[in-house]
Amino acid sequence: IVAEAPGAEEDQYGRPLIGVSGWETYRMLEDARWFPPGISKHIIDNFHPWYDPIEKRMRISNPNFLPLDQALDNAGVFITNTCHERPPGNEIDLFFGNRIDAKRESLDNVFGRSPRRPIIEGIQQLRNDIERIRPKFILALGNTALWALTGLTGITKWRGSILRVENGPVGNFGIKLIPTFHSADVLREWTHRFVVVRDMVQANYERTFPEVR
């Protein structure tokens, strides 16, 4: 699963999709049967440690809960971002320049967009992750992930489409891909939730075979 960029909690803990939008991602993945029933609640309720004033140390609320890493491993899922630096105000588009910015800052045109350093470095890391993990399928969350993996833009137009990781900034891997709205978008536009869950259901089926039928 490829999301976009860290928010406040992701930046603090150094891993993607653990803030409020991440919680909603796990709920939707469970609704789409990527995870067994109840897993998202275990992840959400027990991820963050709390301070025990008696023992004066950080503890988790339930020592027997299913850790996030184990839940993802059991589901065969690896989660990362397109960019690994938190954008100002959580606005990922600020890491891209417009035409005036591109000329003033000497930004290269990369498949119709002018990425700044955090995006360029993130794409290199994403390329390394794909080469290392060799995923059989990718679920792309949001427009930036769609662009990085395919060179296409317009998540509303392309969401739910069966595509390949090719002809984009990351390179030509040929891996099957389905893009959908980011969970942060769902929190802003709740009517998109049904659409994302539907896309995740389709993605969960499509990831069981490599070819495009």
Side-chain angles (χ1 to χ4, degrees), residues 50-59:
W50 58 279
Y51 184 72
D52 187 331
I54 297 176
E55 297 191 12
K56 296 183 179 180
R57 64 187 181 95
M58 301 302 292
R59 297 175 59 91

Side-chain angles (χ1 to χ4, degrees), residues 175-209:
I175 302 166
K176 188 162 60 170
L177 166 136
I178 288 182
T180 192
F181 296 118
H182 195 286
S183 45
D185 172 82
V186 169
L187 296 178
R188 292 189 296 265
E189 187 62 54
W190 193 246
T191 56
H192 286 177
R193 190 183 193 279
F194 171 82
V195 177
V196 174
V197 172
R198 174 63 185 83
D199 289 342
M200 287 179 170
V201 169
Q202 180 189 10
N204 198 26
Y205 168 71
E206 292 288 340
R207 73 183 183 128
T208 61
F209 52 92

Side-chain angles (χ1 to χ4, degrees), residues 10-133:
E10 289 87 351
D11 195 33
Q12 177 185 355
Y13 285 91
R15 67 181 307 161
L17 292 179
I18 61 167
V20 176
S21 62
W23 299 351
E24 189 56 42
T25 301
Y26 300 127
R27 292 189 187 100
M28 291 189 292
L29 287 168
E30 182 178 317
D31 288 349
R33 301 295 185 265
W34 285 59
F35 295 140
I39 292 300
S40 65
K41 187 177 189 305
H42 282 293
I43 293 172
I44 294 165
D45 288 350
N46 295 285
F47 181 81
H48 295 286
W50 58 279
Y51 184 72
D52 187 331
I54 297 176
E55 297 191 12
K56 296 183 179 180
R57 64 187 181 95
M58 301 302 292
R59 297 175 59 91
I60 56 175
S61 55
N62 177 5
N64 298 314
F65 84 105
L66 184 64
L68 174 59
D69 286 338
Q70 184 180 340
L72 296 179
D73 287 346
N74 291 349
V77 173
F78 177 82
I79 295 179
T80 189
N81 278 318
T82 307
C83 173
H84 301 284
E85 184 174 321
R86 184 186 179 191
N90 293 337
E91 292 292 336
I92 189 72
D93 287 340
L94 294 179
F95 281 160
F96 294 89
N98 57 32
R99 285 178 19 181
I100 296 175
D101 295 333
K103 185 175 182 180
R104 182 177 62 248
E105 300 174 32
S106 300
L107 301 175
D108 292 332
N109 184 296
V110 181
F111 294 91
R113 305 193 74 180
S114 301
R116 294 188 165 97
R117 176 195 54 77
I119 298 292
I120 294 172
E121 292 178 355
I123 288 173
Q124 180 59 55
Q125 179 62 51
L126 181 56
R127 185 181 298 117
N128 293 341
D129 286 340
I130 292 175
E131 290 176 345
R132 175 173 56 88
I133 297 169

Side-chain angles (χ1 to χ4, degrees), residues 122-185:
I123 288 173
Q124 180 59 55
Q125 179 62 51
L126 181 56
R127 185 181 298 117
N128 293 341
D129 286 340
I130 292 175
E131 290 176 345
R132 175 173 56 88
I133 297 169
R134 293 291 174 180
K136 296 179 180 178
F137 178 87
I138 293 179
L139 176 66
L141 303 181
N143 193 59
T144 303
L146 168 68
W147 166 80
L149 294 164
T150 67
L152 302 171
T153 56
I155 191 63
T156 302
K157 174 182 178 181
W158 290 104
R159 57 129 296 270
S161 301
I162 304 174
L163 306 171
R164 294 280 190 187
V165 180
E166 57 189 10
N167 303 322
V170 163
N172 297 318
F173 288 93
I175 302 166
K176 188 162 60 170
L177 166 136
I178 288 182
T180 192
F181 296 118
H182 195 286
S183 45
D185 172 82

